Amino acid sequence: MNKHMATQSASKDVTDILRTAGLRPTRQRVSLAELLYSKGDRHISAELLHEEAVAADVPVSLATVYNTLHQFTEAGLLREVAIDGNKTYFDTNVSDHHHFFIEGENRVIDIPGEVVGIDKIPSAPEGMEVVRVDVVVRIREKS
Amino acid sequence: MNKHMATQSASKDVTDILRTAGLRPTRQRVSLAELLYSKGDRHISAELLHEEAVAADVPVSLATVYNTLHQFTEAGLLREVAIDGNKTYFDTNVSDHHHFFIEGENRVIDIPGEVVGIDKIPSAPEGMEVVRVDVVVRIREKS
DNA sequence: ATTTGTGCAAATCGTTTGCATCTGA
DNA sequence: TCAGATGCAAACGATTTGCACAAAT
């Protein structure tokens, strides 16, 4: 059934993931997914992913990159990290964790392990429920 | 020296604050400061503040509102709250505290008291120092 | 064949900037 | 006076959208 097994070992899983998520595994989506997940946890902007795709000979339009990132996010494959205001980062690590934000460099990195302990999660106001707690530790070059 | 004392009781303090911060107390800056600080703690966007100013018969350009907000921030009179990505909020509460973010409404409110306890602040990577820890508790209408 | 995705370029939104004009000390 | 502030409109960067074309099932 698969005509080119050899070249599809990596694509195969991605294809299934997409299908399971209810997304048609198109060329662009498969390629983008591979770029996203083949290098460990990443925090990437739409623009950067677009550049990577083009560099990897997967010409895809910026608009499609945006669409894809949002679809992946809705499907739970990515998490949007809103830290800086002007740019949106997408985190390939969907599990519960927090971030360092390097000021000046505008870079986001995961805080390793279960290092942040919040001992008192404040109770939400009447009729509200907590969706998620985000912790951002802003750091800079030691002066 | 003050010709219209009666109308200046509120303006007086603001004027001093601005002067102390090294900012010339111009009409616009004084008015914006009053709008900002006369209603308790606020989390306001440039656009909204602009609308309020115009509504209060203090015609000021949006560009000036942006300039002013940034100058106030540099002077330590305001704190920038980056939560949402597409919009920047300025917090009139400069003290150490954290925020609820109401999804859907895109509203920011202070978490009252010293309710958030972070028991382990992760150590920053080599050569880096922690500037600040931001905690955002995302909440939504209970379903 | 039908449905869904893609590309392009134009549109939008928040924010910033350049520059001529005004204003506070 | 004159450095510093303001207003306007144009410039900007990130993101979105509309619509004709292409690809997946």
Side-chain angles (χ1 to χ4, degrees):
Chain A
M1 29 186 75
N2 273 317
K3 292 165 185 172
H4 306 289
M5 289 289 278
T7 61
Q8 294 194 348
S9 50
S11 315
K12 190 56 171 49
D13 352 336
V14 167
T15 300
D16 286 349
I17 291 171
L18 292 177
R19 244 188 260 282
T20 304
L23 297 168
R24 289 225 290 234
T26 65
R27 253 195 288 307
Q28 291 82 337
R29 296 214 268 233
V30 171
S31 301
L32 291 177
E34 278 167 1
L35 284 171
L36 284 169
Y37 296 106
S38 65
K39 295 191 188 171
D41 292 341
R42 314 191 64 186
H43 305 85
I44 199 172
S45 67
E47 191 141 357
L48 182 55
L49 180 58
H50 180 238
E51 281 168 22
E52 284 192 12
V54 171
D57 279 307
V58 186
V60 67
S61 77
L62 186 52
T64 297
V65 172
Y66 274 105
N67 287 338
T68 303
L69 286 172
H70 287 137
Q71 290 155 351
F72 284 14
T73 301
E74 272 166 42
L77 302 175
L78 288 175
R79 175 171 148 190
E80 230 174 301
V81 184
I83 285 189
D84 184 31
N86 41 337
K87 225 164 196 151
T88 304
Y89 293 90
F90 293 86
D91 189 345
T92 58
N93 178 353
V94 179
S95 72
D96 209 331
H97 68 287
H98 301 296
H99 298 104
F100 283 121
F101 178 68
I102 306 176
E103 298 195 339
E105 274 186 75
N106 275 33
R107 226 153 51 75
V108 180
I109 56 182
D110 285 350
I111 292 180
E114 189 40 62
V115 193
V116 183
I118 299 171
D119 55 10
K120 282 182 270 177
I121 292 179
S123 49
E126 254 314 287
M128 299 267 143
E129 64 184 338
V130 173
V131 176
R132 192 171 87 200
V133 179
D134 285 343
V135 177
V136 176
V137 179
R138 282 162 198 280
I139 59 180
R140 75 151 102 83
E141 201 100 2
K142 208 170 255 170
S143 51
Chain B
M1 27 186 79
N2 274 318
K3 291 164 184 174
H4 309 289
M5 288 289 278
T7 62
Q8 293 195 348
S9 50
S11 315
K12 190 53 170 53
D13 352 339
V14 167
T15 300
D16 286 348
I17 292 171
L18 291 178
R19 245 188 260 282
T20 304
L23 296 170
R24 276 212 224 154
T26 65
R27 252 197 289 306
Q28 292 82 336
R29 296 214 267 233
V30 171
S31 301
L32 292 177
E34 279 167 1
L35 284 171
L36 285 169
Y37 296 106
S38 64
K39 295 190 187 173
D41 293 340
R42 314 192 65 185
H43 305 84
I44 198 171
S45 67
E47 191 142 356
L48 182 55
L49 181 57
H50 181 238
E51 281 168 22
E52 283 193 12
V54 171
D57 280 307
V58 186
V60 67
S61 77
L62 186 53
T64 297
V65 171
Y66 274 105
N67 287 339
T68 304
L69 286 172
H70 287 138
Q71 290 155 351
F72 283 15
T73 301
E74 273 166 42
L77 302 176
L78 288 176
R79 175 170 145 192
E80 229 173 303
V81 184
I83 284 189
D84 185 29
N86 40 339
K87 226 164 195 151
T88 304
Y89 292 89
F90 293 85
D91 189 345
T92 58
N93 179 351
V94 179
S95 72
D96 210 330
H97 68 288
H98 301 294
H99 298 103
F100 284 120
F101 179 68
I102 306 176
E103 298 196 339
E105 275 186 75
N106 275 33
R107 227 154 50 73
V108 180
I109 57 182
D110 285 350
I111 292 180
E114 189 40 62
V115 193
V116 183
I118 299 171
D119 57 9
K120 281 183 269 176
I121 291 178
S123 49
E126 254 315 289
M128 300 267 144
E129 65 185 338
V130 173
V131 176
R132 192 170 87 200
V133 179
D134 286 342
V135 177
V136 176
V137 179
R138 282 162 200 280
I139 59 180
R140 75 152 101 83
E141 202 99 3
K142 208 170 257 170
S143 49

